[in-house]
Amino acid sequence: MKRHTNNIKVFLSAILLAGTLFSPLYAQEYGLKKGRNIALSIKNTKKGANKTYLNLGVMSNYQNLNGASINILSDVIHQRTSGFQMSGFVNIVGNRSSGMQVAGLANISGVKSHGLRIGGLFNISGRSTYGAQFSGIGNLAGNDQKGLMFTGLINMGTVKMSGFMFSGLANIAGKEQKGVAISGMTNVSGGDMYGVQLSSLMNISGQSNKGLQLTALSNVSVTNQGAQISGLANYSGDNKGMQLGLANVSNKCSKGVQIGFLNMNGENCGRQVGMINIKPQTRIQLIVSGGNINKTNVAVRFKNKMIYTQLGTGMILGEITDNISVSASYRTGLSFPLIKDRLDLNTDIGYSHIETLGNANTPDRLYSIQPRISLEYNPLKKIGVFIAGGYSWTRTYKKNLAYSNNPLIEAGLVFF
């Protein structure tokens, strides 16, 4: 588990370091140097004040803003702003900005930003951002982001992110995420995640998922203490909550539940609800058989103490179709030991899908419901034989009409 955590942290560190390079003002906490100023301003020029109340220009460069500033190209403020900034290209504040910033390309604050920021490409803060941000490419902060973040590509905070995050590509929090993160591809939290991660590709929590991870493809967390729901797969080093997906995997499970087609965990604990459930105690066995309906059949059985499931494929000839047809089947049942490690009584029920391969006067596809009872004898530890009897009700998919009803007899070998 520790190795997985370190790998995630290295991955995040590389991305987050690249993000901070967008902030050339990160270290300039004490202001910017003087530059070109082409503007008309209303200022307080008294010693120690250095405040501008109204600024209209092409490109401006001054100490502090307490009011409004509108520029055609850029607005560079050495120390702090409190009010409204708008420029055609970029707004830069050396220390802290409070209020509203609107720029055609980017809004940049060397230390902190409070309020509303609208940037055509980027909104960047050397340390923290609090409020609402809208940008075409990214909202980036050297430490924390709190509030509403809406961007075309990426929202990123190297330490914490909290609030509502919406991005076209990714939301990335270096250590902790709180709130709702919605992205077109992926959400990443390097530490704990409290809230919701919603994406189309992948959600990652480097420590604990203590909320909801919802995605079309896969969810990953070192410890799952909430819910992981995916269209394909969920992974957790330790599952203490719920995993719901086509495949669910955990290294161990202090407590929790897995619901899906395939469920796997590395310890004999937790609850599994699915068609195939695999634990360390699970015996995976190969079954080769034949009978009056399936002339030849090969299946894999997953046996957990008394409960087993089975997937198989076979060739049908005679009882249902005159020419060769093929089938795929699933069975689930209970095994009762009559003589320990030697003789078992098995009862199960199966569903079989049948492809008739163009047989004349036969529907293209059929299905069968097949309950069985069998005796299985194991003369050797990894080799057994069985004989089974039951009944097969075969029907059409179209209109669900009865096609044939037949007794079922089958015998075969069990390996491993």
Side-chain angles (χ1 to χ4, degrees), residues 263 265 267-272 277-282 304:
N263 299 309
N265 67 57
E267 293 185 356
N268 297 319
C269 60
R271 289 164 288 174
Q272 295 177 315
N277 301 307
I278 300 177
K279 298 180 181 181
Q281 70 184 25
T282 303
N304 293 293

Side-chain angles (χ1 to χ4, degrees), residues 156-229:
M156 181 167 61
T158 62
V159 181
K160 296 180 181 180
M161 294 179 68
S162 58
F164 183 86
M165 296 143 270
F166 182 91
S167 68
L169 181 64
N171 296 304
I172 300 175
K175 291 186 177 180
E176 182 180 274
Q177 180 212 312
K178 293 182 178 180
V180 179
I182 301 174
S183 75
M185 293 190 69
T186 186
N187 295 301
V188 179
S189 174
D192 294 333
M193 194 285 287
Y194 306 84
V196 178
Q197 289 181 325
L198 173 63
S199 71
S200 64
L201 183 61
M202 179 177 288
N203 296 311
I204 299 174
S205 176
Q207 291 292 336
S208 295
N209 166 38
K210 298 182 179 181
L212 170 64
Q213 291 181 311
L214 179 63
T215 183
L217 189 61
S218 62
N219 294 306
V220 177
S221 67
V222 173
T223 301
N224 177 41
Q225 294 177 276
Q228 293 181 311
I229 302 174

Side-chain angles (χ1 to χ4, degrees), residues 7 35 42 84 121 146 151 157 159 170 176 191 194 198 224 241 266 269 272 302 311 337 348 352 383:
N7 290 340
I42 298 176
F84 174 74
L121 297 182
K146 296 182 181 180
T151 184
V159 181
E176 182 180 274
Y194 306 84
L198 173 63
N224 177 41
C269 60
Q272 295 177 315
F302 304 89
L311 293 174
D348 60 42
S352 181
I383 298 178

Side-chain angles (χ1 to χ4, degrees), residues 327-344:
S327 67
S329 62
Y330 171 80
R331 312 194 72 85
T332 184
L334 297 172
S335 180
F336 302 94
L338 301 179
I339 301 175
K340 187 177 180 180
D341 298 329
R342 284 290 182 265
L343 185 64
D344 295 329

Side-chain angles (χ1 to χ4, degrees), residues 224-229 234 236 238-245 247-250 252-260 262-265 269-274 277 279:
N224 177 41
Q225 294 177 276
Q228 293 181 311
I229 302 174
N234 297 303
S236 177
D238 186 0
N239 178 37
K240 299 180 180 180
M242 182 189 75
Q243 293 180 312
L244 174 62
N248 301 300
V249 180
S250 65
K252 65 177 183 178
C253 52
S254 301
K255 55 183 179 179
V257 61
Q258 295 176 316
I259 304 172
L262 172 64
N263 299 309
M264 300 176 63
N265 67 57
C269 60
R271 289 164 288 174
Q272 295 177 315
V273 181
N277 301 307
K279 298 180 181 181

Side-chain angles (χ1 to χ4, degrees), residues 323-388:
N323 297 315
I324 292 176
S325 299
V326 295
S327 67
S329 62
Y330 171 80
R331 312 194 72 85
T332 184
L334 297 172
S335 180
F336 302 94
L338 301 179
I339 301 175
K340 187 177 180 180
D341 298 329
R342 284 290 182 265
L343 185 64
D344 295 329
L345 175 66
N346 300 326
T347 62
D348 60 42
I349 187 167
Y351 171 86
S352 181
H353 170 80
I354 302 167
E355 291 284 340
T356 60
L357 305 179
N359 273 285
N361 303 316
T362 304
D364 291 337
R365 295 172 184 85
L366 300 165
Y367 75 91
S368 292
I369 305 297
Q370 300 172 343
R372 298 187 317 174
I373 186 169
S374 66
L375 280 175
E376 181 177 332
Y377 176 63
N378 297 278
L380 300 175
K381 187 175 181 180
K382 294 188 177 182
I383 298 178
V385 295
F386 76 93
I387 184 167

Side-chain angles (χ1 to χ4, degrees), residues 2-66:
K2 185 175 181 180
R3 186 185 66 205
H4 294 300
T5 304
N6 290 337
N7 290 340
I8 291 173
K9 287 184 175 179
V10 169
F11 168 72
L12 289 174
S13 297
I15 295 178
L16 298 174
L17 178 61
T20 59
L21 296 178
F22 284 104
S23 181
L25 307 176
Y26 181 83
Q28 299 194 22
E29 185 173 346
Y30 300 103
L32 302 173
K33 295 181 180 180
K34 291 183 179 180
R36 181 172 296 180
N37 187 70
I38 306 173
L40 297 174
S41 303
I42 298 176
K43 301 180 179 181
N44 183 344
T45 58
K46 291 181 180 181
K47 187 176 180 180
N50 291 323
K51 293 181 180 180
T52 298
Y53 301 113
L54 178 63
N55 184 80
L56 303 174
V58 177
M59 25 188 328
S60 299
N61 190 297
Y62 51 99
Q63 288 294 320
N64 298 288
L65 174 66
N66 285 70

